[in-house]
Amino acid sequence: MFPNRAAVEGVGDAAQLAEIKGRSLWADARTRFFRNKAAVVSLIMLGLIGAFALFGQFFAQYDKGFVDFSLIGSNANKGVPSIENGHYFGTDSNGRDLYARVVQGTGISLMVGIVGAMVAVIVGTLYGATAGYFGGRIDGAMMRIVDVLMSIPFMFVLILMLVIFGRSIFMLFLGIGLISWLDMARIARGQTLTIKNKEFVEVAVATGVRPIKIILRHIVPNLLGIVIVYATLLVPSMIIFESFISFLGLGVQEPNTSLGALINEGARTMQFGYYWQIAYPLFFFVVTIFAFFFVGDGLRDALDPKDR
Amino acid sequence: MNPLLSVRNLSVTFDVRRPGSWPWTPAMKLHAVSEVSFDLQPGECLGIVGESGSGKSTIARAIVGTIPSSGGNIFFEDHDLANMDTRQRRVHRRDVQMIFQDPLAALNPRMTVGEIIAEPLITHEPNTPRKEVKRRVGELMERVGLLPNLINRYPHEFSGGQCQRIGIARALILKPKLIICDEPVSALDVSVQAQVINLLMELQRDMGLSMIFIAHDLSVVKHISDRILVLYLGRVMETAEAHKLTTAPEHPYSQALISSVPIPDPVLERARHRPILEGELPSPLRPPSGCVFRTRCPKVQPDCADAKPALEDVGGRHFVACPYHEAQQVLVVNE
């Protein structure tokens, strides 16, 4: 069963044998993921929504800022979704093409979600892994900072910030970046505490690998499974968060828009029968969020086969 | 001959806090290892035996430097490893490598075998060209009995014995002077144990390695070691040449330990006298006064509680920490 030296030499020059490609744990996880139908369908949906946000503008018949004055006052009959006049999704209450607006809103919502998740992955993982790896006082100090930041009611602070410094996408990203990494830091730290007591980390310490290298080479790759799952589940919650801010009228500012802002506008005119003004943004919002949740679920099953 | 490694009065204590105690209440001291001294000659293999909790692994980790020692010196080629700052210490780490008990846990699941074996090399010689690294990894894999074409595989694709061979290859790539094996075969099948032990002995002979071999299986230790050190509750009870210790141990604890090894012959096994130890290992938080073994010793005397017995030289590098020692012929394992 074990090739001893004599057997290896018997085979001939063993170095000449073709190298066998190993199956990494990532490759295994990929196969498991693609066996999950709901996750794959959701991934395709996400791909389509992403393509819609990126390239949808090219199919729009009207510019997103163009106000069709001919429709003002007769939105209920002329602004309905139709293929003929080019307003595929109809127009909003200001006579702007809703299709172009939804494309723009989807893009901004996705960007908010992805930026939030990226900040969480990069800052949160490194912060948590560092705290967990060094332990003791450093850990205590770093995690107490997280506790303090977590105890601040961020919605309130963010609203104040948006009011004081003016509403802008930058402020929104800053606010979302500030809160999104806190939970991730806690998760990463907890995982690090279990990983750092594994023997392969001890081997690395005994060999003389520097702490930074140990964190990056041994701890973070073993954290990544959980981090990725949490990040995919964080994207929709960031989108919801942004939508809530925008729904309050504080988030993205005109002429920019996001799905939350569009839903807000749609909700105001819903009672007058302009159902399409809420239906289309809501459709994209719900589909995006469901797709992210299903993908996250699929990733969790794929990366953590024991936990099912 | 100058010893390669010379450990003097090594102590390791851990702070233990009772759960729920105030942060300012002083921590209790757990004496995992106290005042252990021994020498290791170049090319020699020292076996360390003792029950679970006797501090075997703690000694290994203190020498390797993953646990700080709280007292004493570890002289490695006249450099005191125990009292060195982290930066200096890192330079000396390449000469001492360690092999672990659980072969799979000691390998990072996200790295390929090639990356795992090469890690010490790229850490200490970062300028080695990649081709050279790969060549050396391949050579070493062949040397420890792995096909070099498995270089891109991942640890979970190997059996326990193969994983242990990967661990051995990683320990050897820097051509260290000392290898510390912490129960390297305890997690393996008996048939695989023999293969790994023979590989280790072969490598030790060919590369002139010094070795510290920790195990609780005495027959394995006896097979591989030149000298054996018996540990009880973090203290050295007896050290002697392997043959002498396994045939004529002098310390009552060694006698009990060695006679506990079953003999694979029912007639001999039934006939022999074996002193059976009563009770459990005392808590290292509150070790007994005087001789730590006195609570379970069959030959205990009233004055055993007074002073800690020093290691007494009974001739031929044979040291015993018991004033009432006497040689007792013990039936030997596998002979």
Side-chain angles (χ1 to χ4, degrees):
Chain A
M1 184 166 57
F2 298 103
N4 58 23
R5 278 180 69 213
V8 171
E9 276 149 17
V11 172
D13 194 355
Q16 298 306 312
L17 289 176
E19 278 175 18
I20 299 171
K21 212 176 163 326
R23 283 172 61 83
S24 68
L25 295 180
W26 297 119
D28 281 350
R30 197 161 52 228
T31 349
R32 275 195 296 272
F33 180 83
F34 282 114
R35 239 181 272 145
N36 183 338
K37 303 248 165 25
V40 172
V41 169
S42 299
L43 193 67
I44 294 168
M45 291 299 286
L46 275 185
L48 291 176
I49 289 170
F52 173 78
L54 281 175
F55 308 115
Q57 216 62 263
F58 298 121
F59 302 102
Q61 301 292 317
Y62 301 88
D63 184 72
K64 57 180 183 279
F66 173 74
V67 177
D68 200 343
F69 287 104
S70 65
L71 293 177
I72 290 184
S74 51
N75 223 342
N77 7 338
K78 287 189 187 161
V80 289
S82 82
I83 305 289
E84 290 120 66
N85 66 8
H87 293 298
Y88 308 131
F89 293 177
T91 59
D92 69 2
S93 48
N94 293 331
R96 283 174 297 189
D97 183 32
L98 195 61
Y99 173 81
R101 299 274 290 164
V102 170
V103 169
Q104 189 195 16
T106 310
I108 286 186
S109 283
L110 279 179
M111 206 157 75
V112 167
I114 288 165
V115 166
M118 263 176 30
V119 171
V121 168
I122 296 166
V123 179
T125 309
L126 290 179
Y127 191 91
T130 310
Y133 179 74
F134 288 108
R137 290 223 174 102
I138 298 178
D139 180 31
M142 286 175 84
M143 293 325 283
R144 289 306 81 72
I145 292 175
V146 170
D147 290 348
V148 168
L149 287 177
M150 267 194 156
S151 65
I152 299 173
F154 258 95
M155 188 62 81
F156 180 69
V157 173
L158 185 61
I159 290 169
L160 268 184
M161 266 166 56
L162 290 168
V163 169
I164 295 168
F165 300 108
R167 287 174 284 168
S168 69
I169 293 195
F170 174 74
M171 286 314 288
L172 198 67
F173 280 158
L174 191 73
I176 282 172
L178 274 176
I179 53 162
S180 64
W181 64 275
L182 297 173
D183 277 316
M184 186 67 94
R186 280 191 174 172
I187 291 169
R189 180 220 174 223
Q191 282 295 311
T192 308
L193 289 182
T194 60
I195 293 170
K196 81 164 177 180
N197 290 324
K198 293 260 172 76
E199 287 179 343
F200 63 82
V201 175
E202 200 181 344
V203 176
V205 175
T207 307
V209 184
R210 276 155 210 282
I212 298 169
K213 282 254 171 78
I214 292 180
I215 290 174
L216 292 179
R217 196 186 291 155
H218 294 286
I219 294 195
V220 170
N222 285 291
L223 284 177
L224 228 47
I226 284 151
V227 166
I228 288 172
V229 171
Y230 185 69
T232 45
L233 298 176
L234 194 67
V235 173
S237 65
M238 284 297 130
I239 293 177
I240 293 172
F241 183 74
E242 184 277 332
S243 298
F244 181 63
I245 300 271
S246 295
F247 189 84
L248 293 179
L250 285 166
V252 179
Q253 210 182 359
E254 293 286 350
N256 285 321
T257 191
S258 73
L259 290 177
L262 287 172
I263 293 168
N264 176 29
E265 280 173 33
R268 264 186 271 149
T269 55
M270 183 171 58
Q271 51 185 319
F272 308 123
Y274 306 143
Y275 67 92
W276 63 88
Q277 290 182 0
I278 188 163
Y280 286 104
L282 202 59
F283 170 77
F284 280 93
F285 182 76
V286 170
V287 169
T288 310
I289 290 194
F290 265 88
F292 267 113
F293 278 135
F294 277 118
V295 169
D297 229 36
L299 280 174
R300 185 174 53 216
D301 288 349
L303 292 165
D304 246 344
K306 276 172 283 176
D307 271 8
R308 226 175 304 197
Chain B
M1 196 159 48
N2 264 350
L4 177 77
L5 177 79
S6 150
V7 174
R8 288 288 166 269
N9 296 322
L10 178 70
S11 299
V12 180
T13 53
F14 297 112
D15 285 351
V16 178
R17 293 187 166 278
R18 195 166 298 169
S21 66
W22 294 107
W24 53 83
T25 42
M28 290 187 286
K29 297 274 184 219
L30 187 149
H31 301 270
V33 172
S34 25
E35 293 161 30
V36 167
S37 303
F38 61 87
D39 284 340
L40 183 70
Q41 304 295 338
E44 193 181 36
C45 177
L46 175 76
I48 300 183
V49 293
E51 307 172 56
S52 308
S54 59
K56 302 179 302 256
S57 298
T58 310
I59 292 186
R61 281 168 170 77
I63 297 171
V64 165
T66 52
I67 292 180
S69 56
S70 49
N73 312 90
I74 303 167
F75 293 104
F76 184 82
E77 294 183 319
D78 301 325
H79 300 285
D80 186 3
L81 298 183
N83 304 305
M84 213 178 238
D85 66 50
T86 334
R87 199 173 291 267
Q88 276 178 305
R89 179 88 201 233
R90 206 169 278 146
V91 182
H92 291 280
R93 286 189 190 275
R94 60 175 301 162
D95 291 328
V96 186
Q97 295 286 323
M98 189 154 167
I99 296 169
F100 287 85
Q101 176 175 8
D102 184 346
L104 191 57
L107 307 175
N108 185 342
R110 305 279 176 194
M111 284 162 84
T112 65
V113 171
E115 289 166 348
I116 289 170
I117 298 177
E119 191 180 27
L121 186 65
I122 57 174
T123 304
H124 287 276
E125 294 166 23
N127 298 324
T128 323
R130 289 183 62 177
K131 263 199 158 149
E132 168 75 9
V133 171
K134 201 172 165 188
R135 189 185 62 75
R136 280 175 69 175
V137 170
E139 264 177 28
L140 209 56
M141 284 178 76
E142 214 174 322
R143 184 72 192 77
V144 298
L146 292 165
L147 286 167
N149 62 344
L150 302 178
I151 192 166
N152 288 328
R153 291 232 168 183
Y154 288 85
H156 63 99
E157 299 173 291
F158 290 91
S159 67
Q162 284 175 310
C163 284
Q164 198 54 286
R165 285 165 196 268
I166 297 168
I168 294 170
R170 168 177 55 194
L172 290 178
I173 194 155
L174 287 172
K175 301 194 172 67
K177 293 173 181 143
L178 172 63
I179 296 237
I180 298 176
C181 309
D182 187 4
E183 308 208 11
V185 294
S186 308
L188 304 177
D189 268 359
V190 178
S191 58
V192 183
Q193 282 189 3
Q195 294 174 357
V196 171
I197 298 260
N198 289 338
L199 173 69
L200 280 172
M201 289 177 76
E202 197 183 308
L203 290 167
Q204 191 208 358
R205 199 178 52 236
D206 294 354
M207 301 175 75
L209 293 168
S210 302
M211 203 146 75
I212 293 179
F213 193 93
I214 295 169
H216 44 232
D217 185 349
L218 260 169
S219 48
V220 168
V221 175
K222 181 183 152 289
H223 182 60
I224 195 169
S225 321
D226 301 312
R227 288 165 57 72
I228 295 181
L229 186 144
V230 179
L231 218 56
Y232 182 81
L233 214 66
R235 287 180 176 276
V236 180
M237 295 289 113
E238 186 168 6
T239 38
E241 200 193 306
H243 182 74
K244 197 164 174 210
L245 195 119
T246 45
T247 48
E250 304 233 344
H251 195 283
Y253 179 63
S254 320
Q255 287 161 0
L257 197 66
I258 283 153
S259 59
S260 73
V261 178
I263 305 173
D265 180 337
V267 180
L268 285 176
E269 175 70 26
R270 229 171 283 133
R272 74 168 166 174
H273 156 81
R274 47 164 59 169
I276 290 170
L277 290 188
E278 305 275 321
E280 292 285 314
L281 203 66
S283 163
L285 284 170
R286 273 173 242 91
S289 65
C291 174
V292 285
F293 185 54
R294 70 179 164 84
T295 50
R296 298 165 76 189
C297 184
K299 294 180 182 172
V300 65
Q301 305 289 328
D303 58 341
C304 283
D306 299 338
K308 290 192 167 68
L311 275 176
E312 186 184 329
D313 194 345
V314 296
R317 290 179 78 204
H318 187 157
F319 298 88
V320 188
C322 180
Y324 305 104
H325 65 85
E326 54 179 333
Q328 187 187 349
Q329 214 63 37
V330 183
L331 279 176
V332 194
V333 225
N334 303 343
E335 213 153 25

